[in-house]
Amino acid sequence: MINVPKGTKDVLPQDSYKWQFVENKARETAKVFGASEIRTPTFEHTEVFLRGVGETTDIVNKEMYTFNDKGGRSITLKPEGTAGVARAFVENGLSNSVLPAKLFYITQCFRYERPQAGRLREFHQFGVEFLGAKNADIDAEVIILAKTFLESVGIENVVLYINSIGCKECRKKYEQALKEYFNSNYDGLCALCKDRLNKNPLRILDCKNDDCKKINEGAPKILDYICEDCSNHLETVKKLLDVANVSYKINPNIVRGLDYYTRTVFEFVSENIGAQGTVCGGGRYDGLIAELGGQDVPGIGFAVGIERILMLLENTNKQIENPNKVKVYLAPMGENELVKAFELTAKLRKEGISADFDHMGRGIKAQFKYADKIGAKFVAVIGSNELASGVVRVKNMQEGTETDVAFDDLIEFVK
Ligand code: ATP
Ligand code: MG
């Protein structure tokens, strides 16, 4: 037997409807906020992520699936959605059409990580990118979109953390302070953070290493360093979240893993699913589009991990109704009856009613068992009497009631 590669998973029929449920909610929520779907390739030139995600991030440092294709080009499977969307935005000149461009995507992502609950090598994200607006109201909108989505799937016990990581200008001062602090704690840092210290000390705050985490607790806090504009920006976001009745906590330790973030950053975290509790992360990235060769177009977005959403729903015992159950099951008792069942099923399906009949030559008892397994709502046995009279007895499996219905009235009856 050949197994799936480590860190990947099959989504089986008994679970796929849950995925559809979450994806449908994502699409519906995006729609009411005026966002349209964008689909970008599964792989990009590696450079898109080197520049768009950043060379000092965990993703670029150790998590990318990068390989040379047969033409010798360096290709990378997308580890996240934003960089590809930004590349497409620039390449297709979307900044010349309507702004803000409100985009969303649902995509698989690939990261070479140590697989564990809620951490896979192939996983899925629902993400949103709003490009072109620099004002703080759109930050609030994007955060509220994420919250609306989480609520629509039935997730309520999550904490929203927000923070500002300032702009290029105020971050310089902050980075200087961080460098001084981490230099005085240099020996305790992990090898990667020692390297980050000179390249991008902010990234150290995002390190998962326990020793680094301890050192991080005493590090200078960004909010003591941000400039007046950045501070006002954050205040507006907070004010609008208050207006929308969205509660949040300011958390100065949220810096996000990606290099291109500026100002607002946020995460939705659940206490219910253990270490992999971050279900959604996002923020403003005013420098990204220019970094990828576009104009100076600001942007903000987030990504939600779909596996983590499903984990949360599982852990909180939220029931999702399976909409794919067969509604009408016809149980023919012989060959002639099977032809009738075949005909009736076709008629029902034409009306958009899911219907099925026996394909296995089973006896009546076994057919009822099968109908029960597939969750059929109505079952009708067709025997020679029914063929002769043109009337079947339809059993409502949920209520246990039985009704005689003419073949011609079957569609109306089950509708
Ligand atoms: P973490 O801190 O858990 O590693 P991250 O900061 O790397 O998360 P992002 O890059 O912000 O995550 O991705 C957005 C969301 O995608 C995360 O909040 C999470 O829900 C999900 N996610 C990220 N990596 C994985 C993974 N390997 N497996 C499953 N879901 C993931
Ligand atoms: Mg990660």
Side-chain angles (χ1 to χ4, degrees), residues 37-41 44 83-99 101 103 131 289 292-295 297:
E37 184 176 13
I38 182 165
R39 300 187 189 198
T40 64
E44 298 272 355
V85 169
R87 194 261 320 131
F89 180 85
V90 174
E91 184 170 346
N92 296 287
L94 294 187
S95 63
N96 301 322
S97 54
V98 198
L99 292 181
L103 309 170
L131 294 149
I289 298 295
L292 287 169
Q295 291 158 330
V297 177

PDB file of all heavy atoms in Angstrom, residues 37-41 44 83-99 101 103 131 289 292-295 297:
ATOM      1  N   GLU A  37     -13.420  36.968  -6.074  1.00  0.00           N
ATOM      2  CA  GLU A  37     -12.398  35.927  -5.991  1.00  0.00           C
ATOM      3  C   GLU A  37     -11.264  36.158  -6.979  1.00  0.00           C
ATOM      4  O   GLU A  37     -11.473  36.602  -8.106  1.00  0.00           O
ATOM      5  CB  GLU A  37     -13.037  34.563  -6.279  1.00  0.00           C
ATOM      6  CG  GLU A  37     -12.050  33.421  -6.108  1.00  0.00           C
ATOM      7  CD  GLU A  37     -12.686  32.059  -6.282  1.00  0.00           C
ATOM      8  OE1 GLU A  37     -13.826  31.980  -6.765  1.00  0.00           O
ATOM      9  OE2 GLU A  37     -12.027  31.075  -5.938  1.00  0.00           O
ATOM     10  N   ILE A  38     -10.056  35.852  -6.522  1.00  0.00           N
ATOM     11  CA  ILE A  38      -8.900  35.825  -7.424  1.00  0.00           C
ATOM     12  C   ILE A  38      -8.236  34.460  -7.278  1.00  0.00           C
ATOM     13  O   ILE A  38      -8.172  33.919  -6.169  1.00  0.00           O
ATOM     14  CB  ILE A  38      -7.910  36.972  -7.131  1.00  0.00           C
ATOM     15  CG1 ILE A  38      -6.739  36.943  -8.121  1.00  0.00           C
ATOM     16  CG2 ILE A  38      -7.403  36.947  -5.688  1.00  0.00           C
ATOM     17  CD1 ILE A  38      -5.919  38.230  -8.151  1.00  0.00           C
ATOM     18  N   ARG A  39      -7.842  33.870  -8.404  1.00  0.00           N
ATOM     19  CA  ARG A  39      -7.157  32.577  -8.357  1.00  0.00           C
ATOM     20  C   ARG A  39      -5.788  32.740  -8.988  1.00  0.00           C
ATOM     21  O   ARG A  39      -5.688  33.159 -10.133  1.00  0.00           O
ATOM     22  CB  ARG A  39      -7.948  31.513  -9.112  1.00  0.00           C
ATOM     23  CG  ARG A  39      -9.335  31.313  -8.533  1.00  0.00           C
ATOM     24  CD  ARG A  39     -10.043  30.140  -9.170  1.00  0.00           C
ATOM     25  NE  ARG A  39     -11.433  30.102  -8.749  1.00  0.00           N
ATOM     26  CZ  ARG A  39     -12.217  29.033  -8.845  1.00  0.00           C
ATOM     27  NH1 ARG A  39     -11.746  27.932  -9.388  1.00  0.00           N
ATOM     28  NH2 ARG A  39     -13.463  29.088  -8.434  1.00  0.00           N
ATOM     29  N   THR A  40      -4.782  32.405  -8.249  1.00  0.00           N
ATOM     30  CA  THR A  40      -3.419  32.500  -8.784  1.00  0.00           C
ATOM     31  C   THR A  40      -2.814  31.100  -8.812  1.00  0.00           C
ATOM     32  O   THR A  40      -3.328  30.184  -8.168  1.00  0.00           O
ATOM     33  CB  THR A  40      -2.551  33.442  -7.928  1.00  0.00           C
ATOM     34  OG1 THR A  40      -2.416  32.882  -6.624  1.00  0.00           O
ATOM     35  CG2 THR A  40      -3.166  34.838  -7.812  1.00  0.00           C
ATOM     36  N   PRO A  41      -1.719  30.931  -9.562  1.00  0.00           N
ATOM     37  CA  PRO A  41      -1.160  29.579  -9.711  1.00  0.00           C
ATOM     38  C   PRO A  41      -0.703  28.957  -8.393  1.00  0.00           C
ATOM     39  O   PRO A  41      -0.409  29.657  -7.429  1.00  0.00           O
ATOM     40  CB  PRO A  41       0.051  29.810 -10.625  1.00  0.00           C
ATOM     41  CG  PRO A  41      -0.228  31.078 -11.333  1.00  0.00           C
ATOM     42  CD  PRO A  41      -1.018  31.920 -10.380  1.00  0.00           C
ATOM     43  N   GLU A  44       4.890  29.549  -8.127  1.00  0.00           N
ATOM     44  CA  GLU A  44       5.375  30.834  -8.632  1.00  0.00           C
ATOM     45  C   GLU A  44       6.884  30.727  -8.788  1.00  0.00           C
ATOM     46  O   GLU A  44       7.524  29.818  -8.250  1.00  0.00           O
ATOM     47  CB  GLU A  44       5.081  31.960  -7.617  1.00  0.00           C
ATOM     48  CG  GLU A  44       3.620  32.215  -7.318  1.00  0.00           C
ATOM     49  CD  GLU A  44       2.966  33.222  -8.272  1.00  0.00           C
ATOM     50  OE1 GLU A  44       3.676  33.811  -9.129  1.00  0.00           O
ATOM     51  OE2 GLU A  44       1.736  33.412  -8.153  1.00  0.00           O
ATOM     52  N   ALA A  83       1.535  36.860  -1.454  1.00  0.00           N
ATOM     53  CA  ALA A  83       2.576  37.257  -2.408  1.00  0.00           C
ATOM     54  C   ALA A  83       2.131  37.000  -3.844  1.00  0.00           C
ATOM     55  O   ALA A  83       2.354  37.848  -4.732  1.00  0.00           O
ATOM     56  CB  ALA A  83       3.884  36.519  -2.102  1.00  0.00           C
ATOM     57  N   GLY A  84       1.479  35.875  -4.081  1.00  0.00           N
ATOM     58  CA  GLY A  84       1.006  35.567  -5.431  1.00  0.00           C
ATOM     59  C   GLY A  84      -0.070  36.548  -5.886  1.00  0.00           C
ATOM     60  O   GLY A  84      -0.086  36.976  -7.051  1.00  0.00           O
ATOM     61  N   VAL A  85      -0.967  36.905  -4.968  1.00  0.00           N
ATOM     62  CA  VAL A  85      -2.018  37.869  -5.296  1.00  0.00           C
ATOM     63  C   VAL A  85      -1.385  39.228  -5.632  1.00  0.00           C
ATOM     64  O   VAL A  85      -1.764  39.884  -6.605  1.00  0.00           O
ATOM     65  CB  VAL A  85      -3.030  38.021  -4.129  1.00  0.00           C
ATOM     66  CG1 VAL A  85      -3.951  39.209  -4.350  1.00  0.00           C
ATOM     67  CG2 VAL A  85      -3.841  36.737  -3.973  1.00  0.00           C
ATOM     68  N   ALA A  86      -0.395  39.605  -4.847  1.00  0.00           N
ATOM     69  CA  ALA A  86       0.278  40.887  -5.087  1.00  0.00           C
ATOM     70  C   ALA A  86       0.988  40.856  -6.443  1.00  0.00           C
ATOM     71  O   ALA A  86       0.923  41.828  -7.211  1.00  0.00           O
ATOM     72  CB  ALA A  86       1.273  41.178  -3.962  1.00  0.00           C
ATOM     73  N   ARG A  87       1.621  39.747  -6.754  1.00  0.00           N
ATOM     74  CA  ARG A  87       2.279  39.599  -8.057  1.00  0.00           C
ATOM     75  C   ARG A  87       1.257  39.742  -9.189  1.00  0.00           C
ATOM     76  O   ARG A  87       1.469  40.460 -10.171  1.00  0.00           O
ATOM     77  CB  ARG A  87       2.996  38.243  -8.116  1.00  0.00           C
ATOM     78  CG  ARG A  87       3.994  38.038  -9.227  1.00  0.00           C
ATOM     79  CD  ARG A  87       3.467  37.273 -10.430  1.00  0.00           C
ATOM     80  NE  ARG A  87       2.609  36.164 -10.113  1.00  0.00           N
ATOM     81  CZ  ARG A  87       1.439  35.960 -10.692  1.00  0.00           C
ATOM     82  NH1 ARG A  87       0.976  36.780 -11.632  1.00  0.00           N
ATOM     83  NH2 ARG A  87       0.698  34.920 -10.351  1.00  0.00           N
ATOM     84  N   ALA A  88       0.114  39.084  -9.029  1.00  0.00           N
ATOM     85  CA  ALA A  88      -0.933  39.143 -10.056  1.00  0.00           C
ATOM     86  C   ALA A  88      -1.504  40.559 -10.179  1.00  0.00           C
ATOM     87  O   ALA A  88      -1.812  41.027 -11.284  1.00  0.00           O
ATOM     88  CB  ALA A  88      -2.052  38.159  -9.723  1.00  0.00           C
ATOM     89  N   PHE A  89      -1.644  41.233  -9.057  1.00  0.00           N
ATOM     90  CA  PHE A  89      -2.157  42.606  -9.032  1.00  0.00           C
ATOM     91  C   PHE A  89      -1.252  43.519  -9.856  1.00  0.00           C
ATOM     92  O   PHE A  89      -1.717  44.306 -10.685  1.00  0.00           O
ATOM     93  CB  PHE A  89      -2.211  43.086  -7.575  1.00  0.00           C
ATOM     94  CG  PHE A  89      -2.726  44.487  -7.382  1.00  0.00           C
ATOM     95  CD1 PHE A  89      -4.092  44.738  -7.298  1.00  0.00           C
ATOM     96  CD2 PHE A  89      -1.841  45.555  -7.262  1.00  0.00           C
ATOM     97  CE1 PHE A  89      -4.570  46.032  -7.102  1.00  0.00           C
ATOM     98  CE2 PHE A  89      -2.306  46.855  -7.073  1.00  0.00           C
ATOM     99  CZ  PHE A  89      -3.671  47.095  -7.000  1.00  0.00           C
ATOM    100  N   VAL A  90       0.054  43.352  -9.667  1.00  0.00           N
ATOM    101  CA  VAL A  90       1.018  44.182 -10.395  1.00  0.00           C
ATOM    102  C   VAL A  90       1.030  43.784 -11.868  1.00  0.00           C
ATOM    103  O   VAL A  90       0.888  44.629 -12.758  1.00  0.00           O
ATOM    104  CB  VAL A  90       2.437  44.024  -9.791  1.00  0.00           C
ATOM    105  CG1 VAL A  90       3.463  44.763 -10.640  1.00  0.00           C
ATOM    106  CG2 VAL A  90       2.452  44.533  -8.350  1.00  0.00           C
ATOM    107  N   GLU A  91       1.157  42.494 -12.125  1.00  0.00           N
ATOM    108  CA  GLU A  91       1.316  42.008 -13.498  1.00  0.00           C
ATOM    109  C   GLU A  91       0.116  42.362 -14.373  1.00  0.00           C
ATOM    110  O   GLU A  91       0.257  42.665 -15.547  1.00  0.00           O
ATOM    111  CB  GLU A  91       1.537  40.495 -13.488  1.00  0.00           C
ATOM    112  CG  GLU A  91       1.805  39.922 -14.871  1.00  0.00           C
ATOM    113  CD  GLU A  91       2.256  38.469 -14.813  1.00  0.00           C
ATOM    114  OE1 GLU A  91       2.623  37.978 -13.718  1.00  0.00           O
ATOM    115  OE2 GLU A  91       2.240  37.820 -15.873  1.00  0.00           O
ATOM    116  N   ASN A  92      -1.094  42.313 -13.784  1.00  0.00           N
ATOM    117  CA  ASN A  92      -2.302  42.573 -14.563  1.00  0.00           C
ATOM    118  C   ASN A  92      -2.781  44.016 -14.481  1.00  0.00           C
ATOM    119  O   ASN A  92      -3.891  44.337 -14.917  1.00  0.00           O
ATOM    120  CB  ASN A  92      -3.411  41.621 -14.106  1.00  0.00           C
ATOM    121  CG  ASN A  92      -3.051  40.170 -14.405  1.00  0.00           C
ATOM    122  OD1 ASN A  92      -3.067  39.740 -15.553  1.00  0.00           O
ATOM    123  ND2 ASN A  92      -2.703  39.426 -13.372  1.00  0.00           N
ATOM    124  N   GLY A  93      -1.955  44.856 -13.904  1.00  0.00           N
ATOM    125  CA  GLY A  93      -2.268  46.284 -13.850  1.00  0.00           C
ATOM    126  C   GLY A  93      -3.562  46.611 -13.128  1.00  0.00           C
ATOM    127  O   GLY A  93      -4.282  47.545 -13.481  1.00  0.00           O
ATOM    128  N   LEU A  94      -3.863  45.837 -12.094  1.00  0.00           N
ATOM    129  CA  LEU A  94      -5.142  46.052 -11.394  1.00  0.00           C
ATOM    130  C   LEU A  94      -5.203  47.398 -10.673  1.00  0.00           C
ATOM    131  O   LEU A  94      -6.278  47.880 -10.346  1.00  0.00           O
ATOM    132  CB  LEU A  94      -5.421  44.915 -10.405  1.00  0.00           C
ATOM    133  CG  LEU A  94      -5.653  43.532 -11.019  1.00  0.00           C
ATOM    134  CD1 LEU A  94      -6.084  42.528  -9.951  1.00  0.00           C
ATOM    135  CD2 LEU A  94      -6.712  43.599 -12.124  1.00  0.00           C
ATOM    136  N   SER A  95      -4.040  48.019 -10.474  1.00  0.00           N
ATOM    137  CA  SER A  95      -4.078  49.323  -9.794  1.00  0.00           C
ATOM    138  C   SER A  95      -4.677  50.385 -10.709  1.00  0.00           C
ATOM    139  O   SER A  95      -5.043  51.464 -10.265  1.00  0.00           O
ATOM    140  CB  SER A  95      -2.685  49.734  -9.332  1.00  0.00           C
ATOM    141  OG  SER A  95      -1.843  49.892 -10.439  1.00  0.00           O
ATOM    142  N   ASN A  96      -4.788  50.076 -12.017  1.00  0.00           N
ATOM    143  CA  ASN A  96      -5.409  51.030 -12.944  1.00  0.00           C
ATOM    144  C   ASN A  96      -6.915  50.861 -13.040  1.00  0.00           C
ATOM    145  O   ASN A  96      -7.589  51.638 -13.699  1.00  0.00           O
ATOM    146  CB  ASN A  96      -4.816  50.871 -14.344  1.00  0.00           C
ATOM    147  CG  ASN A  96      -3.321  51.105 -14.328  1.00  0.00           C
ATOM    148  OD1 ASN A  96      -2.856  51.980 -13.607  1.00  0.00           O
ATOM    149  ND2 ASN A  96      -2.577  50.304 -15.068  1.00  0.00           N
ATOM    150  N   SER A  97      -7.447  49.816 -12.427  1.00  0.00           N
ATOM    151  CA  SER A  97      -8.908  49.684 -12.439  1.00  0.00           C
ATOM    152  C   SER A  97      -9.469  50.164 -11.094  1.00  0.00           C
ATOM    153  O   SER A  97      -8.892  51.042 -10.479  1.00  0.00           O
ATOM    154  CB  SER A  97      -9.331  48.253 -12.776  1.00  0.00           C
ATOM    155  OG  SER A  97      -8.713  47.340 -11.916  1.00  0.00           O
ATOM    156  N   VAL A  98     -10.566  49.609 -10.669  1.00  0.00           N
ATOM    157  CA  VAL A  98     -11.234  50.157  -9.480  1.00  0.00           C
ATOM    158  C   VAL A  98     -10.424  49.920  -8.207  1.00  0.00           C
ATOM    159  O   VAL A  98     -10.016  48.793  -7.928  1.00  0.00           O
ATOM    160  CB  VAL A  98     -12.612  49.462  -9.285  1.00  0.00           C
ATOM    161  CG1 VAL A  98     -13.494  50.283  -8.377  1.00  0.00           C
ATOM    162  CG2 VAL A  98     -13.269  49.194 -10.615  1.00  0.00           C
ATOM    163  N   LEU A  99     -10.225  50.968  -7.442  1.00  0.00           N
ATOM    164  CA  LEU A  99      -9.585  50.829  -6.144  1.00  0.00           C
ATOM    165  C   LEU A  99     -10.552  51.301  -5.055  1.00  0.00           C
ATOM    166  O   LEU A  99     -11.285  52.250  -5.278  1.00  0.00           O
ATOM    167  CB  LEU A  99      -8.288  51.648  -6.087  1.00  0.00           C
ATOM    168  CG  LEU A  99      -7.134  51.154  -6.985  1.00  0.00           C
ATOM    169  CD1 LEU A  99      -5.909  52.035  -6.800  1.00  0.00           C
ATOM    170  CD2 LEU A  99      -6.772  49.703  -6.699  1.00  0.00           C
ATOM    171  N   ALA A 101      -9.140  47.506  -4.639  1.00  0.00           N
ATOM    172  CA  ALA A 101      -9.410  46.172  -5.175  1.00  0.00           C
ATOM    173  C   ALA A 101      -9.687  45.280  -3.964  1.00  0.00           C
ATOM    174  O   ALA A 101      -8.861  45.178  -3.065  1.00  0.00           O
ATOM    175  CB  ALA A 101      -8.198  45.668  -5.944  1.00  0.00           C
ATOM    176  N   LEU A 103     -10.204  41.672  -2.890  1.00  0.00           N
ATOM    177  CA  LEU A 103      -9.972  40.335  -3.432  1.00  0.00           C
ATOM    178  C   LEU A 103     -10.029  39.284  -2.330  1.00  0.00           C
ATOM    179  O   LEU A 103      -9.670  39.561  -1.186  1.00  0.00           O
ATOM    180  CB  LEU A 103      -8.591  40.283  -4.090  1.00  0.00           C
ATOM    181  CG  LEU A 103      -8.297  41.404  -5.097  1.00  0.00           C
ATOM    182  CD1 LEU A 103      -6.826  41.392  -5.497  1.00  0.00           C
ATOM    183  CD2 LEU A 103      -9.193  41.261  -6.318  1.00  0.00           C
ATOM    184  N   LEU A 131      -6.719  46.111  -1.537  1.00  0.00           N
ATOM    185  CA  LEU A 131      -5.564  46.887  -1.995  1.00  0.00           C
ATOM    186  C   LEU A 131      -5.964  48.276  -2.466  1.00  0.00           C
ATOM    187  O   LEU A 131      -6.967  48.431  -3.170  1.00  0.00           O
ATOM    188  CB  LEU A 131      -4.877  46.138  -3.151  1.00  0.00           C
ATOM    189  CG  LEU A 131      -4.238  44.819  -2.725  1.00  0.00           C
ATOM    190  CD1 LEU A 131      -4.247  43.808  -3.853  1.00  0.00           C
ATOM    191  CD2 LEU A 131      -2.824  45.080  -2.245  1.00  0.00           C
ATOM    192  N   ILE A 289       3.371  45.898  -2.547  1.00  0.00           N
ATOM    193  CA  ILE A 289       3.137  46.021  -3.986  1.00  0.00           C
ATOM    194  C   ILE A 289       4.354  46.670  -4.663  1.00  0.00           C
ATOM    195  O   ILE A 289       4.811  46.225  -5.717  1.00  0.00           O
ATOM    196  CB  ILE A 289       1.844  46.824  -4.257  1.00  0.00           C
ATOM    197  CG1 ILE A 289       0.639  46.084  -3.665  1.00  0.00           C
ATOM    198  CG2 ILE A 289       1.645  47.058  -5.745  1.00  0.00           C
ATOM    199  CD1 ILE A 289       0.335  44.739  -4.293  1.00  0.00           C
ATOM    200  N   LEU A 292       7.201  44.317  -5.097  1.00  0.00           N
ATOM    201  CA  LEU A 292       7.066  43.391  -6.219  1.00  0.00           C
ATOM    202  C   LEU A 292       7.020  44.119  -7.562  1.00  0.00           C
ATOM    203  O   LEU A 292       6.579  43.565  -8.572  1.00  0.00           O
ATOM    204  CB  LEU A 292       5.820  42.521  -6.026  1.00  0.00           C
ATOM    205  CG  LEU A 292       5.987  41.456  -4.921  1.00  0.00           C
ATOM    206  CD1 LEU A 292       4.678  40.798  -4.583  1.00  0.00           C
ATOM    207  CD2 LEU A 292       7.020  40.408  -5.325  1.00  0.00           C
ATOM    208  N   GLY A 293       7.472  45.359  -7.559  1.00  0.00           N
ATOM    209  CA  GLY A 293       7.629  46.069  -8.822  1.00  0.00           C
ATOM    210  C   GLY A 293       6.435  46.903  -9.230  1.00  0.00           C
ATOM    211  O   GLY A 293       6.394  47.446 -10.334  1.00  0.00           O
ATOM    212  N   GLY A 294       5.432  47.029  -8.349  1.00  0.00           N
ATOM    213  CA  GLY A 294       4.259  47.834  -8.672  1.00  0.00           C
ATOM    214  C   GLY A 294       4.397  49.259  -8.165  1.00  0.00           C
ATOM    215  O   GLY A 294       5.474  49.667  -7.713  1.00  0.00           O
ATOM    216  N   GLN A 295       3.279  50.002  -8.275  1.00  0.00           N
ATOM    217  CA  GLN A 295       3.297  51.359  -7.753  1.00  0.00           C
ATOM    218  C   GLN A 295       3.203  51.315  -6.229  1.00  0.00           C
ATOM    219  O   GLN A 295       3.103  50.258  -5.637  1.00  0.00           O
ATOM    220  CB  GLN A 295       2.108  52.144  -8.328  1.00  0.00           C
ATOM    221  CG  GLN A 295       2.269  52.411  -9.807  1.00  0.00           C
ATOM    222  CD  GLN A 295       0.931  52.678 -10.476  1.00  0.00           C
ATOM    223  OE1 GLN A 295      -0.106  52.171 -10.056  1.00  0.00           O
ATOM    224  NE2 GLN A 295       0.957  53.468 -11.533  1.00  0.00           N
ATOM    225  N   VAL A 297       1.205  51.141  -3.738  1.00  0.00           N
ATOM    226  CA  VAL A 297      -0.194  50.866  -3.420  1.00  0.00           C
ATOM    227  C   VAL A 297      -0.272  50.165  -2.053  1.00  0.00           C
ATOM    228  O   VAL A 297       0.336  49.119  -1.866  1.00  0.00           O
ATOM    229  CB  VAL A 297      -0.839  49.952  -4.496  1.00  0.00           C
ATOM    230  CG1 VAL A 297      -2.269  49.608  -4.123  1.00  0.00           C
ATOM    231  CG2 VAL A 297      -0.777  50.621  -5.853  1.00  0.00           C
TER     232      VAL A 297
END
